[in-house]
Amino acid sequence: MTLSNADFLRSFGTNAAATHSLYSLPLLEEKGWGAIKKLPVSIRIVLESLLRNWDGTRVSEEHVRALSSWQPNGARQEEIPFVVARVLLQDLTGVPLGVDLAAMRSAVERLGKNPAMIEPLVPVDLVVDHSVQVDFSSQADAYLKNLSMEFGRNQERYQFLKWCMESFKSFRVIPPGIGICHQVNLEYLGQGVLTSGSVVYPDTLVGTDSHTTMINGLGTVGWGVGGIEAEAAMLGQPVYMLTPDVVGVHVSGRLREGVTATDLVLHVTEMLRKAKVVGKFVEFHGEGARSLSVPDRATIANMAPEYGATMGFFPIDERTCEYLLATGRTPETVALVRAYYEAQGMFGIPLAGECAYTTVIELDLATVNPSVAGPKRPQDRIDLSAVVTRFREAFHKPVAESGFGKNAEDLTVRHSVPEHSETLGHGDILIAAITSCTNTSNPSVMLAAGLLAKKAVEKGLKRAPFVKASLAPGSRVVTEYLEKTGLQPHLDALGFNLVGYGCTTCIGNSGPLDPAIESVIQKNDLVTVSALSGNRNFEARVHQHIKANFLVSPPLVVAYAIAGSILTDLTNDPIGTSTSGEAVYLRDIWPSSEEIEALMQSAMDPATYQRLYTGFENQNPLWQEVPAPHGSLYAWDTDSTYIQEPPYFDHFSTTPSPVRNISGARILLMVGDSVTTDHISPAGSIKPSSAAGTYLINKGVSRENFNSYGARRGNHEVMVRGTFANVRIKNKIIPGSEGPVTRHFPTNDELSIYDASLRYQTDGVPLVVFAGQEYGTGSSRDWAAKGTRLLGVKAVIAQSFERIHRSNLIGMGVLPCQFIEGQSAETLGIKGDEKISLSGIEGDSLAPRKELQLSITRADDSMIYTTVILRIDTPIEVEYYRSGGILPYVLGELLKTA
């Protein structure tokens, strides 16, 4: 008998009447398809998507059977086509995605077809949250001034987004001033379940920001992908993946007094990075997981990219339902969530032994200590008591060992600052920012920051002189409860006035420092510090001139703003002096759990959430004034410095050219370990002397209107010039160098990365990049792959890749290759002047994880031969690469049926 998914459709209801239906996972087990109730809950949710979307083409019976029989330690060879329910975008990644869709429409029109065939097939929400910068701070009107600056800078981009809203039926834009996409997703967009007719199914998604995983705290399966992959998902293409390993984290115990959710997530990040969970699902279970609030769960889930996992998942339980009600979801919605998950046998966080995991890691909450992370990576956790010692060690440790390479005696040297009475030195804190979705979504740490500020102000403490303080909540709800509890005035008194609702300092939109301070930093090469409640602290991300960046909890941000130096030991040293002349210690003003809990109800008021998320589309007059262009085709303006038609579909053909071996390539760049997407494609400020800065100046753009790389992502001319333009990137082809420079061979000329690329491309020379471990870690930044391709790079050969960037490279037609274990550019003696060839690519033999031959020709014509592993991991990725990338593949498939 021929089966279909209709054989697994069952009715259920929220009361006695069975008014809804679902595709039943328990029925799969009843019919002998596998031990479904022993599967990790995250696997079961993906399995439900396969069962519901089983159509014999995109999803087959074999796919459903393969995942139904998932084994904890089985071979990971099955390719799973996961069809998601919706897509989430933020504006820095969403604008270039919209540009790509507009370019696809233009390409379709040139081919004589109907451009309207390019249309999202799933709901898309874009939240404008990454464009606000901290130009104004520590003043009552900072928010309104920053908002005005934001609209002045981004008028073209916002007009384009309004065209997207008008032109695409299921494309919704949430305007500036509402909140960070992940907090808006947690508080408003995420509903637990969705419906199509009478069929109920889990809310699932992918997002173009790596911290999309924050929604895992609400029991929703979703993760970050590159914009390229998200576009494919929007156009009906499944998200393909190999069947994943699932690491179970068994949580026990309780957090001790004085330990915050931030401390917990830094502990988890360090622990899971060491456990090597890259590319795996992580699922939390046990009594300890049950005890955590949804905001605490979301804090842990948010930083899944920092510990390397695809997800950090907490199943839906009664606490989830309580949170949904408390944040304004209707009782009917919550009843449906509960009934659906109970009917599927997935309601409640499992206890130890109830699910089968690939491996289980123990987490005792009682072992978590007050912590920070830094000064360069989020996984480098430090006990609060050890911060001063660790900073001193990093200060004189060689740069090659992730230190700052300074003389230890320089740590006490102070420098005068023109027109200021105070002096400046190493270790001084210059930015203290309560920012980023990780923490501003969590009322416990935000209330703790407000309570600490209140106690500090009452004792007469003040912010240190040179500290730029800012408060950028993840949604307007935070402002509501900080004002309702009377805490905001105390934050204001310390300079933590509202600067905007968005991802500010954590994405590099920290804004300028005092020019006199910046001058002293540069002149004396000072190692100054930022303290931020964010999730990213990679080199040159927060601010180009601040070298040491520490992730800390919101209350510690306030404490460090008062102390003014990372050399103040917050566990032993006074952080200031009271108005009565007494030394004040952190322990004197640290809020208790009881004090925080007493105010928590103010943060969980359903009426507030419903009011703030009703009619928000029309609540920003500046947004209402932005004109909305019309038409199915976007009217490209060749003079625009923000929006340009990209070249990806130039000379597009539904019959792609055959793939070829790479022969006689030159090395554009050789980099070490932990090179991030921030190194590859910066998001922050554009230097006037850079290739991108020169381009803008030549286009008549004044320096004050440069905006940021993130805001310019709709213009490939800016972005290709900004690729590998991070001021801290270190190219081993020029030992000791820092910044976007390389050598051109055979001339041996020292050039900028961009200029060298142009010369190589003019001469028809292909390029490769060599890298160390964890290449492409960090944000899900598609421009890190797009820019790489536009520079003429054909392959990246690394010791290991982060998940999203590897996928993005394939999505742009760039080969990711991995050295065999024990080999690297260093062990092979590669200097940078060699010629590189890769064979085994052309013909019909290209296959996932194939070994390719790497041939290295030295300057003296001697040869080295070895093999590398092709990191095309799935059959569909082979097809993407053969087509020149995901977008040409999807466009070709659409045109076949047009």
Side-chain angles (χ1 to χ4, degrees), residues 327-341:
T327 50
R329 277 72 162 200
T330 66
E332 293 77 14
T333 295
V334 178
L336 186 59
V337 169
R338 185 185 291 105
Y340 174 83
Y341 277 89

Side-chain angles (χ1 to χ4, degrees), residues 697-757:
I697 290 168
N698 290 339
K699 287 286 187 179
V701 179
S702 61
R703 180 176 179 177
E704 58 268 23
N705 290 321
F706 273 14
N707 212 326
S708 65
Y709 281 113
R712 296 277 181 183
R713 286 181 186 161
N715 184 345
H716 62 280
E717 297 287 3
V718 172
M719 297 309 296
V720 67
R721 288 166 171 82
T723 305
F724 298 113
N726 187 299
V727 296
R728 298 284 174 255
I729 198 165
K730 298 169 182 65
N731 186 359
K732 295 182 179 182
I733 293 177
I734 306 178
S737 67
E738 192 170 59
V741 293
T742 192
R743 288 199 186 280
H744 173 271
F745 296 102
T747 66
N748 208 40
D749 292 342
E750 185 173 320
L751 300 171
S752 73
I753 295 284
Y754 177 71
D755 287 339
S757 161

Side-chain angles (χ1 to χ4, degrees), residues 34-49:
I36 306 299
K37 62 177 175 290
K38 291 292 289 183
L39 296 178
V41 177
S42 52
I43 290 289
R44 281 184 258 174
I45 293 175
V46 176
L47 175 59
E48 187 281 339
S49 173

